[in-house]
Amino acid sequence: MGGYQRQILLLSGDASTIKRDLTESVTEGCWFEWHRLGGCGAGEIRLTTRFVDRDQIGVGDWVRCSYQDGQPWYLGRVESREAMSPAGLMLRLEGMSVQLGEVFPGGFAGAGTAPLRWGASDLFGDDP
């Protein structure tokens, strides 16, 4: 039996369609945050890509990291892309919790009324 095999996929803006396999392009490095409340947090992936391939990854696309057997361990939305010289691309990601910032419980009740927003205010007692 082989060891750990990573798989990094680029998904469409609604995360329903695989656009491209990025596994071989991720050689410069990456990091991710996991939050106790909210799951996947910020992340960054540095790709080595040819110039012509850079436009295939758009802001709003999703990146899923998983084991080769398909078990995912991170899902993040591309928030920004930065071209790097001579041949590279840095993707800044935000995890699924970024979606919570776009949900407005109660909606917009009327003109001039702010939407209702709730958050986790009961912090873990051992947090600094």
Side-chain angles (χ1 to χ4, degrees):
M1 180 179 271
Y4 166 77
Q5 294 290 316
R6 71 177 184 186
Q7 185 179 49
I8 302 172
L9 299 175
L10 177 67
L11 307 174
S12 60
D14 63 0
S16 66
T17 306
I18 297 173
K19 291 176 67 174
R20 185 171 169 194
D21 188 337
L22 299 176
T23 304
E24 298 304 317
S25 299
V26 181
T27 58
E28 294 294 312
C30 65
W31 60 265
F32 304 100
E33 294 176 346
W34 286 283
H35 299 286
R36 192 171 21 253
L37 298 173
C40 298
E44 183 179 287
I45 295 179
R46 293 177 185 252
L47 305 171
T48 56
T49 66
R50 296 184 325 214
F51 185 76
V52 296
D53 293 335
R54 293 181 182 184
D55 287 337
Q56 294 181 7
I57 301 171
V59 171
D61 287 345
W62 291 85
V63 174
R64 182 176 69 206
C65 301
S66 58
Y67 297 103
Q68 192 65 36
D69 63 4
Q71 291 288 1
W73 52 268
Y74 180 83
L75 179 64
R77 185 171 71 186
V78 177
E79 295 296 309
S80 69
R81 303 175 322 145
E82 181 181 330
M84 298 172 2
S85 179
L89 185 65
M90 181 170 41
L91 304 176
R92 288 196 172 86
L93 309 170
E94 282 294 335
M96 290 296 288
S97 61
V98 75
Q99 297 286 72
L100 298 176
E102 299 172 4
V103 175
F104 301 102
F108 295 96
T113 304
L116 300 174
R117 291 185 147 207
W118 290 291
S121 59
D122 55 335
L123 299 177
F124 180 66
D126 292 330
D127 282 342

